[in-house]
Amino acid sequence: MSGQQSASLSTSEPDYTLREYEATPYLDTEELPSKARETVEREINGGTGSDKATRLLLEYRADGRARLRATQHIGIVALPEGPTVEIRPKIANTDLLGLLKYAQNIEAQTFEQETQLAGGARFIDALAMLFQNELDHVLTQGLHGSYSRVSRTTDHLRGRINVQQQLQRQGPTPTAFECTYDELTVDTTVNQAILYATTVLQRLVSDPDLNRALRRHQQQLRRRVELTPVRPIELESVELTRLMEYYEDLVRLTKLVLQNVHLDSLRVADRDSYALLVNMNTIFEEVVERVVSELATERGWVATAQATSTRLVSGGHRRIQIRPDVLVSDGERARLVGDAKWKRDNPAANSREPSPSDIYQLVAYQVAHDVPGVLFYPEQEQALRSTYEVRDLDSLTLVEVPVKAVDGQSLLTTIQRGVAAQLPW
């Protein structure tokens, strides 16, 4: 099995394909060695503070065998000397391309391969499809550069002379000049980040056409930009000027890649383990926040994402905060509070009702804001769609958000129409 690890995922299939919360068989130490297990614990589930997360579970048996269990994170994982695991959404035929476009606020565009990737596609391929299209757009417009202060030895006077270096290096009869000047370069942090994300995706995609397109763009970028790992935090300080507006969509996608990639080496080309895992809860929350915001705007209202409040509980030694995924107001008072839950009912357990904890959480939000409440779930053949009456409060509605493409209609349109028809306003 370990011999497969050096092969590109574009030419090899994963050893295991799971859906969210599914697990591999129990594996012995030869199939899942200590190095692979340490990578899961230290690299994939590593980090500190808000960066720390359980992206992939390791479950042990008394005999020392272990298995890998997926969480709500989807993507691809290749472990050193161990298996490659692909994790897909738990809802079959989820339109990942459409959800990503909507969640990342990418303008709807037509792709030659969009039909192939509409349902059940690998997350990496869907993400790479969007990224490649936006990168092609940026490269067509031209790389944006900025001025950088450089100090060089030149054969003619340029900028200003560095007097101390001039005397030290050139002596009393100089043949060259030690100059400091501003030079326009495209080797900037944002372009380095884009090149790094391009290199990561090119290594991971399975679709050969996408692989070739990304490799071509990577080679084009490397002629003028240095390949170096860029941390997500380095992009936070980057401000896109009016002249860089055409970069916006690509920078959003670049951040998504950098925030969720985990590598065992800074040298992308020859590493033997890697992971790119994205939290489906986060994607679904962003979809819900956007559709509610758009529908609220049509009414002249405002939707606020992750609105923090301390109105529910006061006093005590600690401040108790609540933070629903979305709060809608008309400028004077709250109109609606909502929370997104990337969950699916379990038909095998005859479960066709939402979790009581989901209900209790939303009722708390309703009490705090005195408004109708909405729980948003991914579509489930209308199995969950219903309305509850809450004593002394407004109604609590369960809304199913479309996540599958409908023939002849974009997922964007399907989401907007589907949610609009269910909201209690």
Side-chain angles (χ1 to χ4, degrees):
M1 181 179 297
S2 61
Q4 299 176 5
Q5 302 312 308
S6 60
S8 168
L9 286 180
S10 62
T11 58
S12 63
E13 290 298 315
D15 298 294
Y16 299 100
T17 298
L18 309 175
R19 293 201 182 274
E20 293 170 76
Y21 301 105
E22 291 181 345
T24 67
Y26 279 99
L27 307 173
D28 58 31
T29 53
E30 182 178 344
E31 298 169 297
L32 191 63
S34 59
K35 186 175 182 181
R37 301 181 189 197
E38 289 172 4
T39 297
V40 173
E41 298 289 6
R42 296 181 182 179
E43 300 295 333
I44 295 174
N45 294 336
T48 57
S50 60
D51 293 330
K52 187 173 180 59
T54 302
R55 300 175 179 90
L56 189 64
L57 292 172
L58 261 176
E59 299 178 340
Y60 290 92
R61 281 198 330 192
D63 61 4
R65 291 166 66 86
R67 66 181 178 183
L68 299 166
R69 180 176 294 280
T71 63
Q72 74 276 18
H73 293 78
I74 65 169
I76 196 82
V77 176
L79 297 174
E81 302 175 6
T84 299
V85 180
E86 178 192 356
I87 304 169
R88 295 190 174 193
K90 56 194 168 190
I91 300 177
N93 298 318
T94 295
D95 184 356
L96 280 174
L97 188 64
L99 285 180
L100 276 172
K101 283 199 292 187
Y102 198 76
Q104 293 294 311
N105 198 18
I106 304 295
E107 292 298 323
Q109 300 184 45
T110 301
F111 304 104
E112 292 180 4
Q113 296 162 294
E114 186 162 356
T115 302
Q116 297 173 239
L117 295 177
R122 286 182 174 182
F123 170 78
I124 302 302
D125 287 353
L127 174 58
M129 172 71 77
L130 279 181
F131 187 93
Q132 191 277 135
N133 184 78
E134 295 304 325
L135 177 56
D136 186 70
H137 172 68
V138 165
L139 291 176
T140 299
Q141 297 288 319
L143 291 176
H144 186 273
S146 64
Y147 283 95
S148 176
R149 181 64 54 88
V150 297
S151 296
R152 289 178 183 162
T153 302
T154 63
D155 58 4
H156 61 280
L157 186 60
R158 182 175 181 182
R160 62 184 180 83
I161 292 180
N162 187 320
V163 177
Q164 185 175 359
Q165 286 187 5
Q166 183 75 22
L167 294 175
Q168 289 175 345
R169 297 179 181 180
Q170 303 302 327
T173 56
T175 58
F177 300 95
E178 301 297 327
C179 299
T180 299
Y181 56 92
D182 292 331
E183 181 177 68
L184 182 65
T185 177
V186 298
D187 193 16
T188 60
T189 298
V190 66
N191 287 331
Q192 289 173 354
I194 290 168
L195 172 57
Y196 185 53
T198 303
T199 305
V200 169
L201 290 174
Q202 186 271 323
R203 179 71 174 85
L204 301 182
V205 295
S206 62
D207 184 272
D209 292 332
L210 275 175
N211 189 292
R212 283 190 293 271
L214 287 169
R215 185 184 297 115
R216 185 175 65 253
H217 289 328
Q218 180 205 40
Q219 293 169 349
Q220 186 176 350
L221 285 165
R222 289 202 67 173
R223 296 189 190 105
R224 306 175 67 189
V225 179
E226 180 184 1
L227 175 57
T228 181
V230 177
R231 296 173 300 164
I233 194 171
E234 294 180 62
L235 281 180
E236 296 303 320
S237 60
V238 173
E239 293 186 9
L240 298 183
T241 65
R242 182 180 58 82
L243 296 177
M244 293 182 68
E245 288 179 351
Y246 64 101
Y247 266 74
E248 287 183 0
D249 289 348
L250 182 58
V251 169
R252 278 199 296 271
L253 292 172
T254 297
K255 287 180 180 178
L256 182 64
V257 173
L258 300 187
Q259 288 165 353
N260 295 285
V261 69
H262 309 275
L263 309 177
D264 73 335
S265 169
L266 298 182
R267 295 176 298 172
V268 177
D270 56 357
R271 68 186 184 277
D272 66 351
S273 70
Y274 41 84
L276 201 160
L277 296 169
V278 172
N279 192 333
M280 278 301 298
N281 288 346
T282 302
I283 293 176
F284 188 63
E285 287 172 6
E286 290 171 347
V287 167
V288 168
E289 290 164 4
R290 182 180 173 192
V291 69
V292 173
S293 178
E294 290 172 342
L295 294 174
T297 299
E298 292 178 0
R299 291 174 166 260
W301 297 348
V302 175
T304 303
Q306 307 295 321
T308 301
S309 172
T310 56
R311 298 177 59 180
L312 183 62
V313 179
S314 60
H317 295 292
R318 293 180 57 191
R319 296 180 63 198
I320 304 300
Q321 296 182 333
I322 58 172
R323 188 168 60 184
D325 289 327
V326 62
L327 178 66
V328 178
S329 66
D330 62 8
E332 296 182 357
R333 62 187 180 91
R335 289 285 188 169
L336 185 82
V337 67
D339 220 42
K341 303 294 183 184
W342 178 252
K343 295 182 178 181
R344 182 168 175 80
D345 69 297
N346 183 4
N350 295 317
S351 174
R352 292 286 179 176
E353 296 296 330
S355 163
S357 61
D358 293 349
I359 296 290
Y360 300 152
Q361 181 182 15
L362 192 64
V363 167
Y365 297 156
Q366 289 185 258
V367 170
H369 296 287
D370 192 21
V371 289
V374 179
L375 277 172
F376 296 90
Y377 292 94
E379 63 180 276
Q380 297 173 47
E381 294 78 43
Q382 301 187 25
L384 286 180
R385 187 184 299 186
S386 56
T387 299
Y388 291 84
E389 298 301 324
V390 184
R391 180 179 296 179
D392 299 326
L393 291 174
D394 289 297
S395 62
L396 189 160
T397 303
L398 306 187
V399 169
E400 294 187 18
V401 180
V403 296
K404 303 175 184 178
V406 176
D407 290 342
Q409 186 171 282
S410 70
L411 184 63
L412 182 150
T413 302
T414 303
I415 290 173
Q416 291 173 330
R417 292 178 179 176
V419 173
Q422 301 175 68
L423 287 180
W425 60 29

